[in-house]
């Protein structure tokens, strides 16, 4: 596996390559990322990954400072998974113009709800870095995990805005045996918090299993209570149209629906989602 720290070196290596699958990450890789790498290697001649903890998408300095860095382990996992190249830039390489606090991607409604409203500027930062990475890698296929449901929609919008021809492939969420969605942040959970952390999955499953017989209000309230009992501070339990993320107040089986949850457990913010139909 080739490792590049600069865009120039990366471009020189990629210049004659046609069919490239790309998995952008912030490192602390887990099976969910590796699943994306496997899907890419099975569908592309070349597969690349980037590891870059992007400062512009963190609206909480503590969260940024605490982001786990495990490069040696990540590289071993990527090598084993058959990844062809890793792009591992430093901040100055990606932001030679300096870190701006404001970007102006026209994301519309999607930037105003859920993660957009709880983490102001987050998706602008995601767009800034994904845009730069795509210009550097010029992949044919881009692989992202459905755990970050709203991020996938934002990136879809970014591709429209920038008229990039890359095809976005959204891959299903990988879970631990107890249902907890794989996430780099899980490593920050204490062992007691880890035992409660699948409470989010249990709520999603509960709503999934009861939406034909109960109202969303009732299920939402029960889940809020359940999460609170487990020690979570819930930011949202939302129902939305899975096609455009329009927030819904009640179930409507004529629409494709998704439930999304964000909740904080012992200072670790976790998100997850589940399609209902
Ligand atoms: O999902 C992530 O890990 C990040 O938001 C991404 C897409 C790599 C951009 O920094």
């Amino acid at each position: 596996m080739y490792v590049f720290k600069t865009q120039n070196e990366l471009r020189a290596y990629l210049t004659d390559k046609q069919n490239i699958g790309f998995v952008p990450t912030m490192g602390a890789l887990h099976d969910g990322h590796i699943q994306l790498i496997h899907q890419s290697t099975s569908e592309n001649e070349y597969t690349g990954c980037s590891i870059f903890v992007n400062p512009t998408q963190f609206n909480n300095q503590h969260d940024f400072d605490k982001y786990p860095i495990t490069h040696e382990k990540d590289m071993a996992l990527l090598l084993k998974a058959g990844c062809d190249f890793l792009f591992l830039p430093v901040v100055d390489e990606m932001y030679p113009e300096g870190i701006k606090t404001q970007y102006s991607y026209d994301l519309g409604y999607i930037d105003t709800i859920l993660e957009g409203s709880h983490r102001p500027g987050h998706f602008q930062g995601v767009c800034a870095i994904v845009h730069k990475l795509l210009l550097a890698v010029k992949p044919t296929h881009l692989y992202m995990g459905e755990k970050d449901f709203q991020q996938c929609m934002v990136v879809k919008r970014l591709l429209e805005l920038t008229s990039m021809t890359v095809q976005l492939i959204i891959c299903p969420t990988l879970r631990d045996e107890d249902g907890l969605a794989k996430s780099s942040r899980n490593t920050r959970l204490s062992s007691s918090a880890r035992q409660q952390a699948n409470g989010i999955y249990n709520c999603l499953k509960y709503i999934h299993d009861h939406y034909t017989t109960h109202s969303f209000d009732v299920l939402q309230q029960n889940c809020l209570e359940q999460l609170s009992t487990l020690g979570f501070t819930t930011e949202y339990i939302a129902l939305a149209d899975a096609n455009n993320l329009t927030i819904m107040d009640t179930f409507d089986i004529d629409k494709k629906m998704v439930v999304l949850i964000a909740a904080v457990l012992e200072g670790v913010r976790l998100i997850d989602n589940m399609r209902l139909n």
Side-chain angles (χ1 to χ4, degrees), residues 55-217:
T56 64
Q57 71 186 75
F58 287 84
N59 47 344
N60 177 333
Q61 185 65 32
H62 178 74
D63 211 18
F64 176 68
D65 294 340
K66 285 272 169 206
Y67 209 85
I69 307 273
T70 56
H71 289 171
E72 294 301 316
K73 186 171 160 241
D74 293 349
M75 282 196 252
L77 288 173
L78 290 172
L79 194 64
K80 187 159 165 244
C83 185
D84 298 294
F85 67 94
L86 167 65
F87 184 40
L88 189 63
V90 295
V91 171
D92 285 349
E93 176 67 19
M94 296 318 289
Y95 293 100
E97 73 280 17
I99 293 169
K100 284 205 278 174
T101 48
Q102 292 240 297
Y103 292 89
S104 47
Y105 292 92
D106 179 12
L107 302 175
Y109 171 75
I110 198 114
D111 202 11
T112 65
I113 52 161
L114 308 177
E115 294 301 286
S117 64
H118 284 84
R119 304 182 67 188
H122 168 66
F123 286 132
Q124 293 295 327
V126 169
C127 283
I129 195 61
V130 172
H131 193 181
K132 284 169 186 276
L133 290 168
L134 292 177
L135 289 173
V137 178
K138 299 192 174 62
T140 35
H141 295 93
L142 170 64
Y143 294 84
M144 303 193 82
E146 195 170 50
K147 182 186 144 302
D148 297 305
F149 197 98
Q150 194 174 0
Q151 172 170 270
C152 291
M153 288 208 163
V154 162
V155 170
K156 200 166 146 221
R157 173 87 185 125
L158 172 71
L159 300 184
E160 286 164 11
L161 286 172
T162 53
S163 306
M164 289 195 181
T165 50
V166 54
Q167 197 181 332
L168 174 62
I169 317 274
I170 299 172
C171 305
T173 303
L174 206 66
R175 300 180 179 282
D176 284 346
E177 257 174 39
D178 67 352
L180 176 66
K182 300 267 184 191
S183 165
S184 309
R185 285 161 190 257
N186 296 352
T187 59
R188 285 174 48 202
L189 294 166
S190 68
S191 60
S192 63
R194 172 62 192 86
Q195 282 175 21
Q196 314 289 3
N198 71 337
I200 294 185
Y201 170 77
N202 289 339
C203 284
L204 291 168
K205 185 87 176 51
Y206 168 76
I207 295 174
H208 175 273
D209 293 347
H210 292 87
Y211 80 92
T212 53
T213 50
H214 292 64
S215 73
F216 180 61
D217 278 353

Side-chain angles (χ1 to χ4, degrees), residues 248-267:
M248 300 164 65
D249 296 328
T250 54
F251 297 118
D252 176 353
I253 51 159
D254 291 333
K255 296 203 164 117
K256 289 273 174 226
M257 296 180 285
V258 59
V259 175
L260 308 102
I261 298 182
V264 181
L265 185 60
E266 288 185 9

